């Protein structure tokens, strides 16, 4: 009776763990869709956007795989199938090794990732803003929401080839000295459009107006990504813990099923 009770409890426990895998799989699918549409992440890794997209699709595949693994585990428990439980164990172990490897790689390449973010933001300011409509729109959202301007500071817009080339005639008329124009998204929302339009014209040696956001977007983005990373680490650590429990309990359950089959025989 005691053995039967322990076996039943183990089945319910492993079933609950697989339910978590199901929910995790759905969560990763939703997260992947959000990452594909989030302007902060798109801008941050724009310099290597193809690799970023591939990474997100890999995350999407992981979510689908976790959903399938949860299904295999539940079927194996309900049918008391050793084959399905062993398949569940192997798939889960593969996912766990891949997650740990990805975490170690991200930690050891943290400095390089920060450099990629800075170079991506700088590349958008200098080459893509004003040329690529989607990039322009996304970066305007970044500057407005994060209250920042340029890559490292507003002076970066002086070297913006597309944006300030378009304003070249206006600049030459408005100022006899070398000057540059700032995007409207660099202006604080606390001021009217008339005040903002006046503050958007700047000169390299002139101090920044209080109307204009003075902090660069690279540092702001790194702060936001750091906050995202803290959540990813917390959720990832919890998921790895659940996966370890799933591996241990599924193995115990598989051995228990084998013993029960022997007793029946």
């Amino acid at each position: 009776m005691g053995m039967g009770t322990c076996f039943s409890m183990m089945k319910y426990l492993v079933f609950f763990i697989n339910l978590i895998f199901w929910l995790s799989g759905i969560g990763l699918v939703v997260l992947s869709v959000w990452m594909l549409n989030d302007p902060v992440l798109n801008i941050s890794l724009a310099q290597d956007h193809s690799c970023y997209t591939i990474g997100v699709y890999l995350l999407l595949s992981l979510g689908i795989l976790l959903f399938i693994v949860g299904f295999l585990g539940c079927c194996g428990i309900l049918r008391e199938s050793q084959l399905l439980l062993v398949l569940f164990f192997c798939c889960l172990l593969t996912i766990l090794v891949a997650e740990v490897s990805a975490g170690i790689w991200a930690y050891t390449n943290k400095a390089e990732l920060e450099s990629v973010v800075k170079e991506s933001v700088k590349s958008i300011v200098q080459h893509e803003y004003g040329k690529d409509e989607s990039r322009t729109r996304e970066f305007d959202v970044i500057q407005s929401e994060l209250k920042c301007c340029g890559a490292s500071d507003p002076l970066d817009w002086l070297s913006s080839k597309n944006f300030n080339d378009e304003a070249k005639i206006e600049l030459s008329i408005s100022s006899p000295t070398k000057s540059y124009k700032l995007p409207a998204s660099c202006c604080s929302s606390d001021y009217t459009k008339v005040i903002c339009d006046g503050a958007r014209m700047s000169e390299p040696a002139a101090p920044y107006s209080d109307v204009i956001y003075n902090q660069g977007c690279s540092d702001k983005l790194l702060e936001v990504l750091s906050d995202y990373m803290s959540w990813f680490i917390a959720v990832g650590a919890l998921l790895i813990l659940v996966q370890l429990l799933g591996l241990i309990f599924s193995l115990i359950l598989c051995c228990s099923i084998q013993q029960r089959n022997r007793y029946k025989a």
Side-chain angles (χ1 to χ4, degrees):
M1 178 69 102
M3 181 65 74
T5 303
C6 289
F7 182 77
S8 298
M9 289 180 62
M10 189 68 68
K11 283 180 63 176
Y12 286 124
L13 184 58
V14 178
F15 187 86
F16 176 72
I17 290 174
N18 281 279
L19 181 62
I20 294 177
F21 291 154
W22 262 347
L23 296 176
S24 300
I26 295 173
L28 285 177
V29 170
V30 173
L31 177 64
S32 302
V33 173
W34 168 71
M35 289 177 70
L36 286 171
N37 294 279
D38 184 68
V40 171
L41 295 175
N42 273 296
I43 288 293
S44 301
L45 300 171
Q47 192 182 37
D48 200 4
H49 194 259
S50 60
C51 291
Y52 170 72
T53 304
I54 292 172
V56 174
Y57 280 118
L58 286 175
L59 189 64
L60 177 63
S61 301
L62 178 61
I64 296 172
L65 187 57
L66 270 176
F67 187 86
I68 294 173
V69 165
F71 177 78
L72 287 174
C74 289
C75 289
I77 293 164
L78 295 175
R79 300 182 62 181
E80 297 187 6
S81 170
Q82 287 181 283
L83 177 61
L84 289 177
L85 285 173
V86 169
L87 185 59
F88 163 78
F89 180 89
C90 293
C91 291
L92 188 57
L93 183 60
T94 303
I95 293 173
L96 183 60
V97 171
E99 288 173 347
V100 172
S101 301
I104 293 173
W105 179 87
Y107 179 79
T108 55
N109 291 274
K110 183 179 179 182
E112 286 79 2
L113 291 174
E114 290 181 356
S115 177
V116 167
V117 171
K118 291 180 179 180
E119 289 299 322
S120 297
V121 177
K122 186 177 179 180
S123 176
I124 289 176
V125 172
Q126 292 182 341
H127 304 291
E128 296 184 53
Y129 192 93
K131 180 180 180 182
D132 188 315
E133 185 177 347
S134 63
R135 284 278 175 260
T136 302
R137 199 163 47 243
E138 287 176 349
F139 201 72
D140 280 334
V141 172
I142 295 295
Q143 292 193 135
S144 299
E145 294 296 324
L146 299 185
K147 303 184 186 303
C148 58
C149 184
S152 56
D153 56 48
L155 187 60
D156 292 326
W157 289 107
L158 178 63
S159 59
S160 177
K161 297 180 179 179
N162 299 294
F163 179 68
N164 268 306
D165 277 352
E166 290 178 358
K168 192 177 292 183
I169 298 176
E170 180 184 348
L171 292 173
S172 62
I173 294 173
S174 63
S175 176
T177 61
K178 185 178 182 180
S179 58
Y180 62 100
K181 189 176 183 180
L182 299 172
S185 54
C186 280
C187 186
S188 173
S189 57
D190 297 333
Y191 297 91
T192 63
K193 184 179 183 301
V194 175
I195 296 175
C196 284
D197 287 343
R200 286 171 58 197
M201 302 300 297
S202 184
E203 296 179 7
Y208 302 130
S209 169
D210 293 336
V211 179
I212 300 298
Y213 299 129
N214 295 332
Q215 186 175 357
C217 293
S218 294
D219 292 335
K220 287 278 191 176
L221 280 169
L222 287 174
E223 291 175 8
V224 174
L225 291 175
S226 179
D227 292 338
Y228 283 166
M229 192 59 65
S230 298
W231 281 103
F232 287 155
I233 290 173
V235 173
L238 180 61
L239 185 58
I240 287 174
L241 178 61
V242 173
Q243 288 171 345
L244 285 172
L245 293 175
L247 288 172
I248 295 170
F249 291 142
S250 62
L251 194 59
I252 295 173
L253 189 60
C254 189
C255 293
S256 300
I257 291 173
Q258 186 177 11
Q259 288 183 352
R260 281 166 59 93
N261 291 338
R262 283 180 181 176
Y263 290 143
K264 287 181 181 179

